[in-house]
Amino acid sequence: MPEKQIAPVISRLEEFEKNLPGYLDTHNKLAILLDYDGTLAPIADNPNKTKMPVELEAILRRLAKHPQIFMAVISGRALRDVHALVNIDGVTFAGNHGLEIEYPDGSRHDFELPGEIQRNYTAMVDELKECVEKNGAWVEDKRVSLTFHYRDTPAHLKDELKQLATEICQRHGFRPNQAHEAIEAKPPVDWNKGEAALHILKTKFGPNWADEVRVVFAGDDTTDEDAMRVLQGLGRSFRIAADAQIQTFADFRLPKQDLMTDLLKWISTVYVC
C-alpha cells in the first residue's frame, strides 16, 4: 500500500540526475503530468493573474513537441481556463480535478454527475454566494466543482468565513478541501486527480502503460496527493512545498516553485530538446 513520507528534497538542477540516475532514457517514452497553479505558475493573489515564467514556458513548449514525450496538465481549474492559460498544442488538459478531460484531437471524457449531485451543487453555489461572498472573498463556480477564495479577506475574518464555507459545502454533500488561501469543494464521487491520471495514461498507452512509459508527475497541493498516491512505485512524483516536515506520497520534495524550471531543464537535457 502507498505510504506518505517526509520526502528527500531536491534543491538544485544537478540533484535531479543525482537522485534519479538513469530514470530518464531516450529509449523510453515519457509521460509528463503536471498541475498548474503553484506548479507551472507561481501562486498569485488572484487566480486571474497567474502566469508561467517565460523560461519555464519555453522549455515546456519544446518538450511538448518531442515525439517521445506525452504531456498532460491536470488542474483544479475549469478545463477552459487551464487550456487558455497553458495553450500549448499537443497537450492533454484535465480540469475540475480531472472531471473533464480533453485530448489534443478534440475528443473528451467527462465524468457524468448524477442529477441529485448536480442539483445539490447549484444549491451550494447559491448559498455560498449569499452567505460568504463578502469582505473580499468570492466563489469560483466551475460547473461541477468550486473554489471559495478568501486570500483578500481581512485576517481576523478568515477563520469564520472558512468554517462557514466548509459547513455549507458539507451540508450539500460536497467534499471541502483546504487549498492555498481557498477552500475547494469536490463532488462526492470516486474520481480525483489520481483517477484522472490513470485514465489518461491508459487511454494513451493502453492497460499495460506502466511497462510502456516512464512517468513524471509534479504538483503542489493536497489534491495532487491523489495522483502521487496512485503513481507511487510506478512513476516519479514531486511535491512542491516549503514545509520540510510535510508528509507526502511524492518521491521527492521541491522547496520552491521555481525549481520546476530545473525539473523541466533536466528532462530537456536528457531528451535533447
Side-chain angles (χ1 to χ4, degrees):
M1 291 292 291
E3 294 184 357
K4 286 189 172 183
Q5 63 169 341
I6 297 177
V9 64
I10 291 178
S11 56
R12 57 181 62 89
L13 175 59
E14 56 268 25
E15 291 179 358
F16 285 98
E17 184 60 33
K18 179 180 177 180
N19 282 277
L20 294 109
Y23 181 68
L24 298 185
D25 184 337
T26 54
H27 294 99
N28 293 298
K29 295 178 181 178
L30 173 65
I32 306 174
L33 312 180
L34 305 168
D35 173 45
Y36 177 75
D37 290 282
T39 302
L40 288 178
I43 296 293
D45 57 0
N46 185 299
N48 296 323
K49 297 179 181 178
T50 60
K51 184 175 178 60
M52 290 188 288
V54 173
E55 185 179 14
L56 182 150
E57 182 177 358
I59 301 171
L60 202 66
R61 289 186 180 278
R62 292 201 301 271
L63 291 173
K65 293 178 181 179
H66 197 285
Q68 286 288 90
I69 295 176
F70 167 80
M71 188 178 295
V73 178
I74 308 175
S75 172
R77 287 180 181 256
L79 189 147
R80 64 186 178 190
D81 290 342
V82 70
H83 194 301
L85 287 163
V86 178
N87 194 27
I88 296 176
D89 291 341
V91 174
T92 293
F93 292 97
N96 274 301
H97 307 283
L99 289 168
E100 45 183 2
I101 300 171
E102 184 175 275
Y103 299 97
D105 64 2
S107 61
R108 291 180 60 109
H109 175 272
D110 292 278
F111 191 98
E112 191 66 33
L113 295 179
E116 181 181 2
I117 293 178
Q118 293 180 19
R119 291 189 291 272
N120 288 344
Y121 177 79
T122 300
M124 176 180 62
V125 171
D126 290 343
E127 185 173 354
L128 285 168
K129 284 181 174 291
E130 180 181 351
C131 297
V132 296
E133 198 169 57
K134 55 187 176 182
N135 299 310
W138 58 284
V139 177
E140 182 183 358
D141 179 0
K142 297 178 288 187
R143 191 177 62 84
V144 291
S145 76
L146 64 80
T147 303
F148 172 64
H149 298 272
Y150 57 84
R151 182 179 299 274
D152 296 330
T153 300
H156 69 284
L157 298 175
K158 287 184 178 182
D159 286 345
E160 180 181 353
L161 283 178
K162 283 168 52 180
Q163 181 177 348
L164 180 54
T166 298
E167 291 172 356
I168 291 172
C169 295
Q170 290 173 333
R171 188 161 61 248
H172 289 282
F174 276 65
R175 298 168 178 168
N177 184 80
Q178 183 67 52
H180 295 290
E181 295 286 326
I183 299 293
E184 294 180 325
K186 296 184 291 184
V189 295
D190 293 327
W191 195 263
N192 51 45
K193 286 188 177 183
E195 295 300 320
L198 293 179
H199 180 86
I200 290 169
L201 290 168
K202 289 175 183 176
T203 299
K204 176 64 179 179
F205 300 104
N208 297 321
W209 62 268
D211 300 323
E212 302 294 327
V213 62
R214 301 286 172 89
V215 179
V216 167
F217 178 88
D220 75 308
D221 213 338
T222 54
T223 57
D224 298 306
E225 290 287 340
D226 291 317
M228 296 166 183
R229 174 177 50 80
V230 300
L231 292 173
Q232 196 174 82
L234 299 173
R236 297 294 183 271
S237 57
F238 301 84
R239 173 73 189 264
I240 301 166
D243 182 1
Q245 299 302 311
I246 193 168
Q247 293 282 331
T248 176
F249 287 113
D251 296 285
F252 299 96
R253 180 177 67 88
L254 307 182
K256 299 183 296 182
Q257 183 276 330
D258 59 15
L259 284 164
M260 278 300 301
T261 301
D262 286 343
L263 170 60
L264 296 177
K265 280 182 180 178
W266 169 60
I267 296 172
S268 180
T269 299
V270 175
Y271 283 86
V272 196
C273 296

